[in-house]
């Protein structure tokens, strides 16, 4: 990515799968790492019981669960401490060779790709996608190519 940064979250928004399942009430922050934008969720935000879900992927850094075509990552290790300087391949992946690690994922928290979910304020009738086209546009202005994956 252009620069690793974080955007504060909101407890006044519901997070749904595109199929309509309520995943979370609120989110902690958006992590803009070199693997792309991810919503960071804490246990208090989750509205689904992941303990009842089979683990789809066991990885040394995370466990992944699937719900309605959404991959939910539960972070087990910090990528910076493991010297993971570059992310795995993906649409928004950028190999910036960061000594501090390609993202600031926190152990024990959950991560969902912003492009995989929609959000809605309580009481509202319309649901919204995260503005991924704005992210794409910003990357183009900065001269970075967006890998198609």
């Amino acid at each position: 990515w252009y620069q690793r940064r974080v955007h504060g979250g909101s407890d006044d928004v519901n997070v749904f799968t595109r199929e309509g399942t309520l995943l979370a009430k609120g989110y902690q922050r958006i992590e803009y790492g070199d693997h792309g934008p991810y919503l960071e969720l804490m246990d208090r935000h989750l509205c689904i019981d992941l303990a009842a879900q089979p683990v789809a992927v066991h990885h040394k850094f995370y466990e992944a669960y699937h719900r309605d075509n959404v991959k939910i990552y539960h972070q087990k290790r910090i990528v910076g401490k493991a010297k993971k300087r570059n992310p795995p391949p993906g649409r928004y992946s950028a190999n910036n060779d960061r000594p501090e690690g390609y993202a600031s994922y926190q152990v024990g928290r959950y991560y969902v790709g912003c492009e995989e979910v929609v959000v809605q304020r309580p009481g509202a009738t319309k649901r919204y996608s995260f503005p991924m086209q704005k992210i794409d546009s910003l990357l183009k202005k900065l001269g970075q190519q967006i890998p198609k994956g």
Side-chain angles (χ1 to χ4, degrees), residues 44-138:
R44 68 182 169 89
H45 296 122
L46 292 178
C47 294
I48 57 172
D49 182 10
L50 290 179
Q53 300 282 329
V55 176
V57 177
H58 288 282
H59 189 276
K60 64 183 176 181
F61 291 102
Y62 61 84
E63 291 178 335
Y65 302 85
H66 290 258
R67 183 65 179 259
D68 294 349
N69 297 314
V70 173
K71 196 178 221 181
I72 305 163
Y73 299 92
H74 186 220
Q75 198 69 26
K76 295 182 347 187
R77 290 180 63 196
I78 297 173
V79 295
K81 289 189 176 182
K83 308 273 191 280
K84 285 286 289 178
R85 299 167 74 104
N86 293 303
R91 179 173 186 206
Y92 295 100
S93 291
N95 290 335
N96 290 314
D97 202 32
R98 297 180 191 278
E100 72 275 15
Y102 68 86
S104 62
Y105 304 133
Q106 303 296 306
V107 171
R109 296 193 181 177
Y110 300 87
Y111 295 89
V112 177
C114 288
E115 72 279 4
E116 296 184 30
V117 295
V118 293
V119 295
Q120 180 181 31
R121 294 219 182 267
T125 57
K126 196 166 183 184
R127 293 181 181 165
Y128 295 92
S129 299
F130 281 89
M132 300 307 290
Q133 67 278 7
K134 288 184 181 179
I135 294 169
D136 290 348
S137 176
L138 177 61

Side-chain angles (χ1 to χ4, degrees), residues 2 6 9 14 24 31 34 36 38 67 97 108:
Y2 57 98
V6 171
N14 293 326
E31 162 66 28
D34 289 343
Y38 285 83
R67 183 65 179 259
D97 202 32

Side-chain angles (χ1 to χ4, degrees), residues 14-28:
N14 293 326
V15 181
F16 294 88
T17 66
R18 293 189 182 277
E19 284 78 14
T21 300
L22 178 63
L23 286 181
K25 290 187 177 182
Y27 62 97
Q28 188 65 21

